[in-house]
Amino acid sequence: MSAATFSKRRIVLPAVVALIVGVAISLALGRLFYVEESRAIKLGFKSDIDQLSGSIEREVLLNLEILYALKAAVGIMPEMTPARFGTLTRNVLDRSPAIQAFAWAPLKEPDQLTDFIRKQSEDFQDFNVTETGLEGLVPVKPRDFYVPVQYIEPLADNRAALGFDLASEESRFEALSLARATGEMVATAGIRLVQEPEDQKGFLVFAPLYKIQPGAAESAAEAYHYGFINGVFRVGELVEQAVGSELRTDLLLEVIDRTNGGESLLYRSRKPSAQAWRFDDRYRAGEFEIAGRQWSVEAVPSAELISEKRGVLPVFVSSSGIILVCVVVGYFLAGARRNLQLSEAKAKLERISLTDSLTGLANRRHFDTVLEHEIRRANREKTNLSLIMIDIDFFKEYNDEYGHPAGDHCLRQVAGVLRDMAKRPGDLVARYGGEEFAIILPDTDNPGVIAESCRRAVLDRAIPHALSSIAGCVTISLGVAMTCEATEVTAEELVDKADTALYGAKDAGRNRVCRS
């Protein structure tokens, strides 16, 4: 080997090694970016489906609220007639395409059936109570009770359903029985609707109707149960109303009923054979309850959707070399840091907007929002909700004697004591204004005990107050109000009750608890 050849090898070999190492590093970095991009796409896809699932849940519950409101209206009306039922339902049906029909179905004992058919025949010729048989609709067989459809709207599209005994079909009978036993609205499993495509279904929701005589106990409600009002809902229309503008053609979206471990398809946005779906990336959002049924939303992305979300960065990194990769990584980190700073700033602003700057408690705005939410929940679920209004006794005199900085310190001390008293995650302590505080206590049977504990804790703190005429230290007066399970109240009414109790505590000498 000549010296010239040896010298060439000494130059070429390190160059080749450097080239191989550089290419390997570039490919490894490109692969890393590819994997991270895939993870980000997957997380983004899951987040999008979670949002779609939330939108669908809200839309379905909103439509169920229409049936709930209709039930409430029916409950206060005199005897139902075809004209009254039509007046109640037609405008709602015109504005709600997801609702196929509303039906009124009374509960009838066997000895009432003949008279019922006779009276109905006065409004509807050839009326009869029927059930499904081998040859279509046939007269009902003997059973313990019947739930025939007496009125239905729109009548023209659902004439054949008049007189159909809802208790004659097993799944409907189970839903009817559960609704009757619990007093709650109960949905059936998915049912095939004639006007819907093969893979789109509907469902029925039964709302029980009761006649409770004055003074009767709630436990006797079933004895006065007299029928049902039910709605027929189209799942496809509900999904369209909820996410129609956000539902892409390259996304396979499914709504599935998974009640009691089963699996029944209610809705599918595309055919599984329509395009190249990535079934390995199927994602199931969390389940949610729809009138006693457990629904979930699942989605499968197409290869086109995933490809569309991919960028050129992995290819660019692989082909650019180590220096360019370092620049891109630095830019990425800088961008991520900026995003983190923006997220932290946003979170801080949200905390500021909901927090009293002096005491660190929830502010009045947050209090009003939470109270309104808890009032609606308590009214809906028939649970107790308690509110304690608190005022520092002789606080003006305290400020006059010790100065405003000391007054601010006193407010912070009292706030800290009250915060320690409300230990459950759902409890909320707020600064209502000035020297006044409020505590929201959901599902609490003994708010007076908690209020008394707050009063004693502030008293035990022994914050000096020379101008107090009832003690040598800072004290508080408390007013307690509580909702009644049988009566719905508004947030304003509950606050007024607690305020009235608070003024009663002051009038009675302060440093005490008074209940409305």
Side-chain angles (χ1 to χ4, degrees):
M1 182 184 298
S2 65
T5 303
F6 182 74
S7 297
K8 286 181 180 180
R9 286 190 176 183
R10 290 185 62 185
I11 296 173
V12 171
L13 186 59
V16 171
V17 171
L19 178 62
I20 293 173
V21 171
V23 169
I25 292 175
S26 297
L27 291 175
L29 288 172
R31 175 62 181 172
L32 177 63
F33 271 79
Y34 181 87
V35 171
E36 287 300 311
E37 182 182 64
S38 298
R39 187 176 69 87
I41 291 173
K42 189 173 183 179
L43 290 175
F45 175 72
K46 290 181 178 180
S47 177
D48 292 342
I49 301 310
D50 285 336
Q51 292 181 18
L52 292 180
S53 176
S55 298
I56 292 171
E57 178 185 7
R58 287 190 294 273
E59 183 64 30
V60 176
L61 293 178
L62 181 63
N63 276 267
L64 292 188
E65 284 296 321
I66 296 175
L67 180 60
Y68 185 84
L70 189 60
K71 172 190 173 184
V74 168
I76 62 175
M77 292 188 65
E79 182 178 356
M80 186 58 65
T81 65
R84 284 177 183 154
F85 191 70
T87 301
L88 274 175
T89 58
R90 283 171 193 155
N91 289 337
V92 176
L93 291 167
D94 290 341
R95 294 194 299 268
S96 303
I99 305 176
Q100 177 180 323
F102 284 121
W104 167 281
L107 184 72
K108 295 297 179 182
E109 302 292 338
D111 59 354
Q112 299 174 315
L113 204 59
T114 301
D115 189 53
F116 172 73
I117 294 173
R118 180 184 58 77
K119 290 183 178 179
Q120 282 298 105
S121 298
E122 297 174 2
D123 294 322
F124 304 103
Q125 187 176 5
D126 298 326
F127 180 88
N128 199 6
V129 178
T130 60
E131 63 182 44
T132 302
L134 295 177
E135 300 178 356
L137 294 178
V138 298
V140 291
K141 300 180 180 68
R143 55 175 58 92
D144 293 339
F145 64 88
Y146 305 89
V147 186
V149 175
Q150 185 175 9
Y151 306 121
I152 190 167
E153 287 291 339
L155 179 60
D157 298 333
N158 300 278
R159 182 65 176 80
L162 271 179
F164 181 75
D165 180 19
L166 299 174
S168 65
E169 196 274 322
E170 183 177 356
S171 64
R172 291 188 175 107
F173 178 79
E174 291 177 358
L176 287 168
S177 300
L178 183 58
R180 187 183 183 193
T182 62
E184 302 292 335
M185 295 194 302
V186 176
T188 67
I191 59 174
R192 179 79 171 87
L193 299 179
V194 175
Q195 67 272 37
E196 291 289 307
E198 182 177 351
D199 51 0
Q200 317 297 348
K201 294 183 179 179
F203 63 101
L204 276 69
V205 178
F206 295 105
L209 301 169
Y210 297 93
K211 290 181 180 178
I212 302 177
Q213 295 180 357
E218 287 189 15
S219 60
E222 187 174 348
Y224 303 99
H225 172 256
Y226 67 97
F228 299 87
I229 184 166
N230 68 280
V232 183
F233 297 84
R234 301 183 180 101
V235 180
E237 288 286 353
L238 289 168
V239 175
E240 180 66 25
Q241 290 179 197
V243 298
S245 61
E246 303 175 42
L247 192 56
R248 303 168 55 117
T249 58
D250 50 10
L251 178 69
L252 175 61
L253 189 74
E254 297 177 343
V255 179
I256 300 175
D257 186 340
R258 297 187 178 277
T259 305
N260 297 328
E263 184 172 318
S264 174
L265 179 67
L266 300 176
Y267 169 83
R268 177 179 282 152
S269 63
R270 299 284 181 272
K271 293 185 178 297
S273 59
Q275 52 186 298
W277 301 110
R278 295 172 60 102
F279 288 100
D280 290 342
D281 293 327
R282 173 184 287 270
Y283 173 66
R284 181 197 297 182
E287 293 185 359
F288 52 89
E289 182 178 347
I290 299 298
R293 310 289 301 182
Q294 296 298 319
W295 287 15
S296 68
V297 174
E298 295 190 14
V300 179
S302 67
E304 180 184 354
L305 185 150
I306 298 298
S307 176
E308 178 186 314
K309 291 181 177 294
R310 291 202 179 280
V312 298
L313 186 58
V315 176
F316 177 75
V317 169
S318 297
S319 63
S320 297
I322 298 174
I323 296 177
L324 187 56
V325 168
C326 292
V327 172
V328 172
V329 170
Y331 179 79
F332 174 78
L333 292 175
R337 189 180 300 111
R338 286 196 298 271
N339 289 338
L340 179 60
Q341 291 171 346
L342 289 173
S343 297
E344 290 176 347
K346 180 182 177 183
K348 184 177 180 181
L349 286 174
E350 289 178 350
R351 287 195 299 271
I352 291 174
S353 68
L354 300 177
T355 305
D356 176 60
S357 59
L358 176 63
T359 62
L361 299 178
N363 60 16
R364 175 66 178 276
R365 174 188 174 192
H366 193 191
F367 167 83
D368 289 340
T369 302
V370 172
L371 182 60
E372 189 66 35
H373 172 78
E374 293 295 341
I375 280 287
R376 288 198 300 269
R377 187 174 73 87
N379 289 337
R380 183 176 63 252
E381 299 178 3
K382 304 302 181 185
T383 57
N384 293 331
L385 176 65
S386 301
L387 176 63
I388 304 175
M389 299 297 291
I390 305 161
D391 191 74
I392 300 177
D393 297 327
F394 305 110
F395 187 71
K396 180 179 182 302
E397 290 79 356
Y398 187 95
N399 271 336
D400 293 342
E401 176 67 14
Y402 300 102
H404 288 284
D408 290 345
H409 183 62
C410 174
L411 288 172
R412 285 192 290 268
Q413 291 186 81
V414 173
V417 171
L418 298 178
R419 185 188 294 111
D420 293 340
M421 292 296 104
K423 302 181 183 300
R424 299 181 306 172
D427 298 340
L428 180 75
V429 183
R431 186 183 180 193
Y432 193 75
E435 69 273 20
E436 194 169 1
F437 300 87
I439 303 178
I440 299 174
L441 299 169
D443 300 321
T444 301
D445 296 327
N446 55 350
V449 174
I450 297 175
E452 179 61 23
S453 298
C454 292
R455 186 193 68 80
R456 288 185 175 275
V458 172
L459 188 64
D460 293 342
R461 192 65 176 261
I463 305 170
H465 189 350
L467 296 185
S468 173
S469 62
I470 57 174
C473 58
V474 170
T475 60
I476 57 175
S477 297
L478 305 95
V480 180
M482 186 176 183
T483 63
C484 176
E485 294 181 3
T487 305
E488 294 188 1
V489 299
T490 65
E492 292 78 6
E493 290 170 343
L494 186 59
V495 170
D496 287 343
K497 289 175 64 178
D499 264 336
T500 300
L502 174 59
Y503 285 120
K506 290 181 179 181
D507 292 341
R510 293 185 170 86
N511 188 28
R512 66 191 65 231
V513 176
C514 183
R515 295 190 61 165
S516 63

